């Protein structure tokens, strides 16, 4: 069965997201843990979480993906900003323990002139400060487009972070199709080779989720502008190969395309029609 969902607004809580996901044919979803620009989290509503958990169990949902605010920068040169990233992520992870087995995705950060080595060290330091051996959430580093000084454009950089984290059994990777294409990995013409490279450098066992986005820009553009599925430089044929690839087909796929909820419903239906059941 295709595990497919999209990014949903968290403003009405977990049960509302679950119902919306089911209505549009999804069996998982992604959401921001708080305002994408950071700031305070909503009050923790344990009744809502309990209702969501029974709804998800009844509907056979797959684990959901919580996305950290994208402005967090774990490798900022400013110690205050690094501390803010660390506290925010620690608080997100504490809250997510109420929904066991959740995935938590974050953008590694931007090193801003400090260089990737220092960036990688700060990111690993943060993870070493907050990852707890018994936690049930898997933390995912997202592959980045390489816009500005983003850390995580190359598989080598992600590997370097993972290697420096003590509790790295709690770490995985979320592969964003727009980002890797913008980052220079040719998933349109060389999908097998890219996945072999991922396996050699990071290990496919670390790959836990895929962000399915087409790209407004060509291979290697380092831009990070998402496009609707089939309307960008990646194209529908490549998405059909991606969702059916033996190394990917059992992973959860999350759409982050420029769409309203009805647009997501259409993309989910389209992707389901392209998925080859075994
Ligand atoms: Fe992201
Ligand atoms: Fe993404
Ligand atoms: Zn993006």
């Amino acid at each position: 069965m295709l595990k497919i969902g999209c990014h949903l607004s968290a403003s009405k809580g977990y049960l509302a997201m679950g119902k919306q996901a089911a209505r549009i044919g999804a069996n998982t979803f992604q959401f921001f843990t708080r305002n994408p620009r950071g700031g305070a989290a909503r009050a923790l509503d344990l009744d809502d979480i309990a209702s969501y958990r029974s709804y998800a169990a009844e509907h056979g949902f797959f684990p959901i993906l919580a996305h950290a605010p994208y402005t967090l920068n774990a490798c900022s040169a400013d110690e205050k900003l690094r501390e803010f990233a660390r506290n925010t992520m620690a608080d997100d992870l504490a809250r997510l323990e109420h929904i066991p087995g959740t995935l938590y995705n974050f953008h590694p950060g931007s090193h801003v002139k400090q260089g990737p080595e220092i960036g990688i060290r700060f990111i690993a330091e943060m993870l070493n400060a907050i990852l707890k051996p018994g936690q049930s959430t898997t933390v995912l580093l997202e592959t980045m487009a390489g816009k500005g000084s983003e850390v995580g454009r190359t598989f080598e950089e992600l590997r370097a972070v993972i290697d420096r984290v003590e509790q790295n059994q709690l770490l995985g990777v979320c592969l964003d199709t727009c980002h890797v294409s913008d980052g220079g990995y040719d998933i349109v013409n060389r999908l097998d080779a890219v996945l072999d490279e991922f396996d050699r450098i990071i290990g496919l066992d670390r790959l836990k989720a895929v962000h399915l986005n087409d790209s407004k820009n060509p291979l290697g553009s380092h831009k990070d502008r998402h496009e609707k599925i089939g309307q960008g430089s990646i194209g529908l044929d490549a998405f059909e190969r991606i969702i059916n690839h033996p190394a990917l087909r059992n992973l959860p796929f999350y759409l982050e395309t420029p769409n309203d909820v009805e647009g997501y419903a259409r993309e989910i239906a389209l992707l389901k029609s392209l998925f080859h059941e075994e």
Side-chain angles (χ1 to χ4, degrees), residues 9-28:
S9 162
S11 63
K12 293 194 174 105
Y14 286 101
L15 181 61
M17 286 191 281
K19 287 182 172 171
Q20 190 169 45
R23 186 176 68 75
I24 61 176
N27 47 29
T28 182

Side-chain angles (χ1 to χ4, degrees), residues 30 32 67 70 105-107 142 144 176 179 211 226 256:
Q30 173 180 273
F32 282 125
H67 196 307
Y70 53 71
N105 174 66
F106 78 106
H107 296 180
E142 183 166 354
M144 301 310 294
D176 185 308
H179 296 179
H211 281 164
H226 301 185
E256 303 176 305

Side-chain angles (χ1 to χ4, degrees), residues 68-137:
Y70 53 71
T71 46
L72 287 197
N73 189 0
C75 60
S76 169
D78 181 341
E79 200 197 321
K80 289 235 165 54
L81 295 181
R82 294 201 304 277
E83 193 183 306
F84 176 73
R86 188 173 67 232
N87 292 339
T88 301
M89 202 175 287
D91 183 50
D92 280 351
L93 291 176
R95 290 158 172 271
L96 289 172
E97 283 304 297
H98 293 286
I99 309 176
T102 298
L103 303 168
Y104 180 76
N105 174 66
F106 78 106
H107 296 180
S110 293
H111 63 72
V112 201
K113 293 189 187 135
Q114 303 174 96
E117 292 77 20
I118 291 184
I120 287 163
R121 212 183 66 215
F122 279 144
I123 296 160
E125 259 174 36
M126 180 195 69
L127 292 167
N128 280 324
I130 63 177
L131 294 183
K132 301 227 173 63
Q135 75 180 50
S136 77
T137 302

Side-chain angles (χ1 to χ4, degrees), residues 148-163:
S149 63
E150 280 173 344
V151 176
R153 181 187 67 78
T154 65
F155 299 158
E156 285 82 357
E157 288 180 355
L158 297 175
R159 174 76 219 196
V161 173
I162 293 167
D163 279 342

